[in-house]
Amino acid sequence: MASSSSSGLTFKLHPLVILNISDHHTRVKAQNQHLSSASASSAAANGGDAATAAAALPPLPRVFGCVIGVQRGRTVEIFNSFELLYDPHSHTLDRCFLEKKQELYKKVFPNYYILGWYSTGTDAQESDMQIHRALMDINESPVYVVLNPSINHSQKDLPVTIYESELHVIDGIPQLIFVRANYTIETVEAERISVDHVAHLKPSDGGSAATQLAAHLTSIHSAIKMLNSRIKIVHQHLLAMQRGEIPCDNSLLRQVSSLLRRLPAMESEKFQDEFLTEFNDTLLMTYLAMLTNCSSTMSELVDKFNVTYDRHSRRGGRTAFI
Amino acid sequence: MQRQRERHSETAQRGWMESSASIARQTWELENNIVSTDGGGGGGREDPDAIYWYDEAAQARAHQEKPWEGDPHYFRRVRVSALALLKMVAHARSGGNIEVMGLMQGKTDGDAIVVMDAFALPVEGTETRVNAQADAYEYMVDYSQTNKQAGRLENVVGWYHSHPGYGCWLSGIDVSTQMLNQQFQEPFLAVVIDPTRTVSAGKVEIGAFRTYPQGYKPPDEPVSEYQTIPLNKIEDFGVHCKQYYALDITYFKSSLDSHLLDLLWNKYWVNTLSSSPLLGNRDYVAGQISDLAEKLEQAENQMAHSRLGTFLMPSQRKKERSRMRE
């Protein structure tokens, strides 16, 4: 059902959405777990067997919600999301609830439109198409974001997939099916800092300037390490291609060559000028700060000197402690 | 054979990198006394997600007992969830140079206030609007109702607003608003975020405060970390700075959050490298330098006036001089 999308839209996802969905899921799971453990413990107290109490973990519940954001031309940027009520019997989302929530969010974020919906689970299912169709009157081509909440430590990729719906002709009948779409993660500087902050639990209050500098350098260092490893992988791949071990992929070669051709951008005259101006400005400011620091220390020293060698005191000044 | 060796070296390298990354993280956590979240209140439960369970009975009991009435210094810590932090910072940043505000939802946990979520309020905050919250009550009621239906059961436990560019502290209006809140809506917390300084400093500028009741003399507190405050706000800061105290903020996240954030790192390391704080903060830095110049001028003038007086400088100028440590 999920082949690759051909609509040409680029999707950008913000980390806030991912955390939103994960929080929603954790909440519902925690509530259900406590409800089931409470009922299981009461069942055990009433004489039920220990086996049912042990195996009482309910299957991971699915949560549903709506994603909102901005669509500019061919770029769809998903900024935020909120929860929705799901009716498991009719397989539909509560419409008036959605509208009420949408009104509230419109007041605070007037630019964001409903771009689609999300749910947790492993893959897009048939029943989801109903919900998708219901949303199509708000947005002609809604997106469907799926988050896989099972924690699998061996996977390297984000367990988030974005599906679009496309009209395909299958067996002569035009049907809507879900097709997978590619997306990138987009962050604003502030978002990146807070995500970084929470991800690595850096000390938030002061610490000394040294620990903050260390933290900053550590994050830069790991980013550079990551860059290094990625370059190595591409390099190995190209070497293998050269030796003929893997079939030559021309599109990949084109991308690599365009990337390499961009590199000498830093050697141009104009860039060096701008860069050095920027550099000198920063150095000047640091120098200024140091100078002011020095003058303040100096004035403190003068104060202390004046206090100890006060000329107007009874001892007549210039009295040194022996 | 060579391919196998390469593949092995690749995986070995990856494995080494992962293990070194995890070792680095563990060293970090050890050095900074990060305690992983244990069960909220329940004895011995090691489930890090237990904090997400909203215990209605326990919360109702706490509300009845009101252990915070006797001690103005009762709440000492704040635990903010990853989601709440992200939402608040994103909202504060989106306001640009305008102060924005919102509410936080959560619960209490002994002497800690736990903030699970935050949402924005559709009011444009200016420092002169004392009762900005009155406009937003309808929004708040609607939002809380829909949230309860959608499964978020926590109550409003505080408010946050932003001070773009001038630091995390409570202004006079903020202090009076918070005192009012603490009289009628306990338990309540005030949080201030500075999105401009967050971006320029590379770490999150956030402060959590509670006010003392009128007339209460706080015991002498150790001086908190010094922060630079622009000249036009320094009076407001100084007059009220003894009327509230700051709480320690720690953060927590669920296991799924940690897992997702780890994976996210694989995607946004590019942004870490490509972000250039010099370019992004030009305006802010220019503003800070001009503010500094004004302060120096003021200091000089005061020195000229008191040339024949004492040689001891008043503490305000000392503060200005010592801000050069940046």
Side-chain angles (χ1 to χ4, degrees), chain A residues 22-23 34 108 212 278, chain B residues 45 54 139 152 203 257 282:
Chain A
S22 138
D23 172 76
H34 275 274
V108 193
Q212 277 178 30
E278 204 62 54
Chain B
R45 245 185 313 182
Y54 182 67
Y139 182 92
R152 180 177 287 290
K203 70 172 176 73
D257 284 343
R282 255 192 207 147

Side-chain angles (χ1 to χ4, degrees), chain B residues 162-205:
Chain B
S162 68
H163 277 183
Y166 52 97
C168 293
W169 45 280
L170 288 183
S171 69
I173 315 281
D174 296 338
V175 168
S176 45
T177 318
Q178 177 62 12
M179 277 211 249
L180 210 64
N181 284 331
Q182 285 190 206
Q183 274 189 301
F184 298 113
Q185 289 188 49
E186 280 280 57
F188 220 70
L189 178 72
V191 163
V192 182
I193 298 189
D194 186 347
T196 326
R197 287 202 186 172
T198 300
V199 172
S200 83
K203 70 172 176 73
V204 182
E205 285 281 327

Side-chain angles (χ1 to χ4, degrees), chain B residues 16-275:
Chain B
W16 170 79
M17 269 189 329
E18 278 160 17
S19 66
S20 78
S22 66
I23 288 178
R25 151 110 60 91
Q26 280 166 355
T27 328
W28 253 122
E29 296 192 0
L30 198 62
E31 280 178 10
N32 296 300
N33 299 327
I34 311 278
V35 181
S36 60
T37 62
D38 46 4
R45 245 185 313 182
E46 285 304 327
D47 180 13
D49 294 341
I51 198 171
Y52 284 86
W53 173 49
Y54 182 67
D55 186 354
E56 292 228 34
Q59 289 295 307
R61 227 182 306 131
H63 267 265
Q64 287 220 311
E65 290 169 8
K66 295 199 210 283
W68 47 78
E69 272 193 358
D71 180 9
H73 223 295
Y74 180 72
F75 289 114
R76 289 174 191 283
R77 306 179 287 134
V78 180
R79 302 176 69 194
V80 180
S81 80
L83 179 67
L85 179 72
L86 208 54
K87 276 194 176 170
M88 292 195 282
V89 172
H91 181 217
R93 185 65 176 160
S94 71
N97 274 329
I98 309 178
E99 292 99 358
V100 293
M101 64 187 287
L103 295 175
M104 309 186 291
Q105 297 172 297
K107 53 188 180 179
T108 57
D109 180 16
D111 70 342
I113 299 189
V114 181
V115 175
M116 311 284 305
D117 194 11
F119 61 91
L121 285 177
V123 281
E124 226 178 64
T126 63
E127 286 297 332
T128 55
R129 283 173 67 169
V130 180
N131 223 354
Q133 294 190 47
D135 293 353
Y137 276 151
E138 197 185 309
Y139 182 92
M140 191 178 98
V141 165
D142 276 340
Y143 195 93
S144 308
Q145 267 181 346
T146 51
N147 258 351
K148 284 223 161 49
Q149 279 185 294
R152 180 177 287 290
L153 309 164
E154 289 92 8
N155 293 320
V156 170
V157 85
W159 65 301
Y160 70 91
H161 66 290
S162 68
H163 277 183
Y166 52 97
C168 293
W169 45 280
L170 288 183
S171 69
I173 315 281
D174 296 338
V175 168
S176 45
T177 318
Q178 177 62 12
M179 277 211 249
L180 210 64
N181 284 331
Q182 285 190 206
Q183 274 189 301
F184 298 113
Q185 289 188 49
E186 280 280 57
F188 220 70
L189 178 72
V191 163
V192 182
I193 298 189
D194 186 347
T196 326
R197 287 202 186 172
T198 300
V199 172
S200 83
K203 70 172 176 73
V204 182
E205 285 281 327
I206 185 172
F209 309 102
R210 274 178 64 82
T211 49
Y212 294 121
Q214 202 104 36
Y216 175 75
K217 276 259 178 295
D220 257 329
E221 266 193 21
V223 173
S224 53
E225 177 207 349
Y226 177 75
Q227 52 178 329
T228 65
I229 298 177
L231 202 54
N232 51 356
K233 306 264 179 193
I234 209 165
E235 256 186 62
D236 200 3
F237 169 74
V239 170
H240 298 281
C241 70
K242 283 290 168 218
Q243 295 179 310
Y244 53 89
Y245 69 97
L247 293 96
D248 289 326
I249 305 184
T250 48
Y251 304 96
F252 66 91
K253 48 192 174 165
S254 69
S255 41
L256 182 59
D257 284 343
S258 325
H259 179 64
L260 288 173
L261 285 169
D262 276 343
L263 294 174
L264 256 183
W265 170 248
N266 292 343
K267 305 268 170 164
Y268 77 82
W269 59 271
V270 183
N271 293 53
T272 316
L273 279 181
S274 63
S275 72

Side-chain angles (χ1 to χ4, degrees), chain A residues 15-16 18-20 22-31 33-34 80-81 83-85 97 100-101 103-105 107-109 147-153 155-160 183 185-206 211-212 214-215 218-220 222-227 229-230 232-233 236 243 245 278 282 285 288-289 292-293 295-296 299-300 303 306-307, chain B residues 2-3 6 9-10 13-14 16-18 20-21 25 28-29 32 34 45 47 49-50 52-54 81-83 85-87 89-91 93-94 116-117 120-122 138-139 142-143 145-147 149-154 195 198-204 206 225 248-249 251-257 259-269 271-273 275 278-279 282 285 289 296 311-313 318 321-322 324-326:
Chain A
L16 177 58
I18 302 180
L19 276 185
N20 248 333
S22 138
D23 172 76
H24 188 195
H25 170 86
T26 320
R27 248 186 298 138
V28 174
K29 189 170 87 156
Q31 294 289 136
Q33 236 170 18
H34 275 274
N80 208 340
S81 65
E83 309 88 15
L84 286 177
L85 294 178
F97 185 83
K100 231 195 311 178
K101 269 297 226 260
E103 253 181 61
L104 290 176
Y105 269 85
K107 282 199 212 155
V108 193
F109 301 112
L147 174 83
N148 185 352
S150 52
I151 300 180
N152 186 356
H153 287 283
Q155 69 179 130
K156 290 290 152 219
D157 235 356
L158 267 182
V160 176
Y183 64 93
I185 302 281
E186 172 90 5
T187 72
V188 205
E189 182 66 15
E191 222 176 334
R192 177 190 78 74
I193 294 180
S194 37
V195 169
D196 213 19
H197 190 94
V198 183
H200 301 291
L201 285 178
K202 290 201 196 101
S204 72
D205 44 350
T211 47
Q212 277 178 30
T218 318
S219 68
I220 301 263
S222 21
I224 296 183
K225 239 189 338 196
M226 188 67 99
L227 179 65
S229 75
R230 296 286 161 98
K232 275 213 178 72
I233 292 177
Q236 305 278 10
R243 275 191 302 263
E245 285 156 15
E278 204 62 54
T282 326
M285 280 201 284
L288 183 65
T292 337
N293 207 359
S295 75
S296 121
S299 82
E300 271 180 38
D303 286 344
N306 282 328
V307 165
Chain B
Q2 195 179 13
R3 196 197 314 182
E6 279 166 3
S9 75
E10 251 178 58
Q13 210 167 29
R14 220 176 292 144
W16 170 79
M17 269 189 329
E18 278 160 17
S20 78
R25 151 110 60 91
W28 253 122
E29 296 192 0
N32 296 300
I34 311 278
R45 245 185 313 182
D47 180 13
D49 294 341
Y52 284 86
W53 173 49
Y54 182 67
S81 80
L83 179 67
L85 179 72
L86 208 54
K87 276 194 176 170
V89 172
H91 181 217
R93 185 65 176 160
S94 71
M116 311 284 305
D117 194 11
L121 285 177
E138 197 185 309
Y139 182 92
D142 276 340
Y143 195 93
Q145 267 181 346
T146 51
N147 258 351
Q149 279 185 294
R152 180 177 287 290
L153 309 164
E154 289 92 8
T198 300
V199 172
S200 83
K203 70 172 176 73
V204 182
I206 185 172
E225 177 207 349
D248 289 326
I249 305 184
Y251 304 96
F252 66 91
K253 48 192 174 165
S254 69
S255 41
L256 182 59
D257 284 343
H259 179 64
L260 288 173
L261 285 169
D262 276 343
L263 294 174
L264 256 183
W265 170 248
N266 292 343
K267 305 268 170 164
Y268 77 82
W269 59 271
N271 293 53
T272 316
L273 279 181
S275 72
L278 278 182
L279 292 177
R282 255 192 207 147
V285 171
I289 301 246
L296 277 176
F311 285 99
L312 294 167
M313 286 204 288
K318 257 219 178 77
R321 290 293 173 107
S322 63
M324 309 323 163
R325 311 184 200 292
E326 340 206 315

Side-chain angles (χ1 to χ4, degrees), chain A residues 55-268:
Chain A
L57 276 179
L60 290 176
R62 290 190 77 188
V63 295
F64 296 84
C66 198
V67 296
I68 58 179
V70 183
Q71 176 162 6
R72 291 189 201 93
R74 309 295 288 166
T75 326
V76 177
E77 201 165 348
I78 304 179
F79 277 97
N80 208 340
S81 65
F82 56 84
E83 309 88 15
L84 286 177
L85 294 178
Y86 174 68
D87 186 4
H89 300 293
S90 65
H91 288 295
T92 49
L93 297 174
D94 194 337
R95 196 44 182 259
C96 60
F97 185 83
L98 187 149
E99 268 155 29
K100 231 195 311 178
K101 269 297 226 260
Q102 189 191 7
E103 253 181 61
L104 290 176
Y105 269 85
K106 264 287 184 198
K107 282 199 212 155
V108 193
F109 301 112
N111 300 333
Y112 295 171
Y113 293 98
I114 292 192
L115 291 177
W117 61 294
Y118 70 80
S119 96
T120 52
T122 41
D123 214 353
Q125 294 169 6
E126 279 298 341
S127 53
D128 297 342
M129 190 44 95
Q130 262 185 305
I131 309 178
H132 202 85
R133 254 188 267 263
L135 273 179
M136 273 166 87
D137 57 344
I138 308 184
N139 182 331
E140 322 84 50
S141 150
V143 304
Y144 176 33
V145 182
V146 181
L147 174 83
N148 185 352
S150 52
I151 300 180
N152 186 356
H153 287 283
S154 61
Q155 69 179 130
K156 290 290 152 219
D157 235 356
L158 267 182
V160 176
T161 24
I162 296 194
Y163 292 102
E164 275 191 292
S165 60
E166 277 188 3
L167 208 55
H168 279 231
V169 178
I170 304 175
D171 304 328
I173 316 168
Q175 278 182 11
L176 276 179
I177 59 166
F178 282 124
V179 292
R180 198 170 283 211
N182 287 326
Y183 64 93
T184 51
I185 302 281
E186 172 90 5
T187 72
V188 205
E189 182 66 15
E191 222 176 334
R192 177 190 78 74
I193 294 180
S194 37
V195 169
D196 213 19
H197 190 94
V198 183
H200 301 291
L201 285 178
K202 290 201 196 101
S204 72
D205 44 350
S208 62
T211 47
Q212 277 178 30
L213 183 64
H216 183 66
L217 286 178
T218 318
S219 68
I220 301 263
H221 174 69
S222 21
I224 296 183
K225 239 189 338 196
M226 188 67 99
L227 179 65
N228 200 8
S229 75
R230 296 286 161 98
I231 294 181
K232 275 213 178 72
I233 292 177
V234 174
H235 183 66
Q236 305 278 10
H237 195 82
L238 288 176
L239 281 179
M241 254 200 249
Q242 191 181 45
R243 275 191 302 263
E245 285 156 15
I246 24 182
C248 269
D249 184 358
N250 282 320
S251 65
L252 186 68
L253 286 173
R254 273 198 293 272
Q255 281 181 340
V256 173
S257 87
S258 75
L259 184 70
L260 289 173
R261 241 171 260 152
R262 269 194 256 170
L263 281 179
M266 298 229 308
E267 301 301 318
S268 74

